[in-house]
Amino acid sequence: FDQRKVEVSLDSKGFGRFTLGKGDTASFNTGAADLSGTGVIAYATISDNAGGMLFREEDSGALTDIRVLDAFNNWDGLGRQSRVRYDSPKFYGASLSGSILSDDRYDAALRWGGKGNGLKAVAYAAVADPKESGDDLNYTGSMSVLHEDTGLNLTFSAGTRERDNQSDPYNLYGKIGWLKNLSPVGWTAFSVDYTRSMNLPTDNDDGYSVGLAAVQSFEKFGTELYALYRLHSLDRDVEPGVHDINLLSIGARVKF
């Protein structure tokens, strides 16, 4: 299937859900648990915002062939694929899921969500086999906790890929946020996050990123206005060294 999502499913409260077609694999978005309210623009897969932008050489200013996507990857599952997927019924807020794809690829995930003592929390974990040359399994996990009275929240994500011929790359992401009804039009959210990406694009290359985000919702219109500033920095173990990339993003999401 060439479309974003084309799938059919059979859903049973007692036996779970069976899905066939193109859509989210079981492991997709397990690295992106997020209750901050700024997830529309600032979340663990930071390369979604500017993944195709190229770093420039420090000395000459010439463009390299290294993209933001090459330096920052949180290994967030197998994406949207044509697959067969099963999701179990929820048991105390937890559910298991798995999917089978072409070329002997597969993945499995555990998701949990719950509320209590003024807290709301979600947590995900997954393992996936992408069947790519020189690579073995991907491991991804994330969690997010929101204190509902104050709106303070904390999010963490981690991901790694086993590689045969080089050091295993891995990604760590943390976010602190505040979500509150400051206006009659809808809730407002602010967050600051930090990302550390290691052994990408080559062994011993280290990247870090800092992001500041704000989102204002207009609930009557199903709209969120957002703004993001993000710094991407890559410390290379080989030449050439590269300049930082600064990103400013503003926009809106309308749901209907």
Side-chain angles (χ1 to χ4, degrees):
F1 297 109
D2 293 329
Q3 304 303 315
R4 182 181 179 90
K5 283 191 175 184
V6 183
E7 59 186 10
V8 294
S9 63
L10 298 174
D11 200 351
S12 165
K13 290 184 178 180
F15 297 98
R17 176 182 294 174
F18 177 83
T19 309
L20 173 65
K22 183 177 180 181
D24 294 352
T25 55
S27 58
F28 187 43
N29 283 332
T30 53
D34 200 320
L35 298 174
S36 68
T38 60
V40 62
I41 188 63
Y43 52 99
T45 313
I46 66 169
S47 57
D48 278 356
N49 298 126
M53 295 187 71
L54 298 170
F55 286 93
R56 289 186 179 273
E57 294 184 10
E58 281 184 330
D59 294 335
S60 67
L63 288 173
T64 69
D65 60 356
I66 303 168
R67 304 168 298 167
V68 169
L69 179 61
D70 299 321
F72 296 93
N73 192 328
N74 70 332
W75 314 110
D76 191 16
L78 298 182
R80 295 185 185 93
Q81 304 282 344
S82 297
R83 84 293 189 231
V84 177
R85 172 171 170 171
Y86 171 74
D87 293 84
S88 75
K90 288 186 177 181
F91 184 73
Y92 289 102
S95 65
L96 288 168
S97 58
S99 51
I100 301 173
L101 298 75
S102 61
D103 301 321
D104 296 322
R105 295 173 292 169
Y106 63 88
D107 60 3
L110 173 65
R111 290 175 170 83
W112 173 85
K115 297 175 66 175
N117 299 317
L119 298 174
K120 182 178 180 180
V122 292
Y124 310 143
V127 59
D129 188 350
K131 284 293 190 297
E132 294 181 6
S133 178
D135 296 334
D136 293 320
L137 298 178
N138 292 357
Y139 300 94
T140 311
S142 60
M143 57 81 65
S144 189
V145 179
L146 169 68
H147 187 260
E148 295 185 293
D149 287 342
T150 64
L152 295 174
N153 53 81
L154 177 66
T155 300
F156 178 75
S157 173
T160 186
R161 168 173 284 189
E162 295 178 338
R163 284 191 165 163
D164 296 333
N165 301 317
Q166 68 179 78
S167 300
D168 293 348
Y170 63 91
N171 187 87
L172 300 174
Y173 173 88
K175 177 200 281 188
I176 297 174
W178 185 46
L179 174 64
K180 203 69 174 177
N181 285 317
L182 300 178
S183 167
V185 300
W187 50 263
T188 306
F190 303 95
S191 69
V192 56
D193 63 50
Y194 178 80
T195 303
R196 190 71 173 173
S197 189
M198 309 294 286
N199 300 323
L200 285 175
T202 65
D203 282 3
N204 301 318
D205 285 346
D206 302 333
Y208 77 86
S209 176
V210 177
L212 302 172
V215 178
Q216 176 62 56
S217 72
F218 294 83
E219 296 178 354
K220 182 179 179 180
F221 304 101
T223 299
E224 297 159 275
L225 299 181
Y226 59 77
L228 168 73
Y229 165 75
R230 183 169 298 285
L231 166 70
H232 308 80
S233 183
L234 179 61
D235 183 12
R236 305 217 64 206
D237 190 51
V238 296
E239 295 296 333
V242 295
H243 287 292
D244 296 342
I245 293 179
N246 293 278
L247 170 72
L248 178 63
S249 179
I250 57 176
R253 176 171 69 177
V254 182
K255 292 183 177 181
F256 55 91

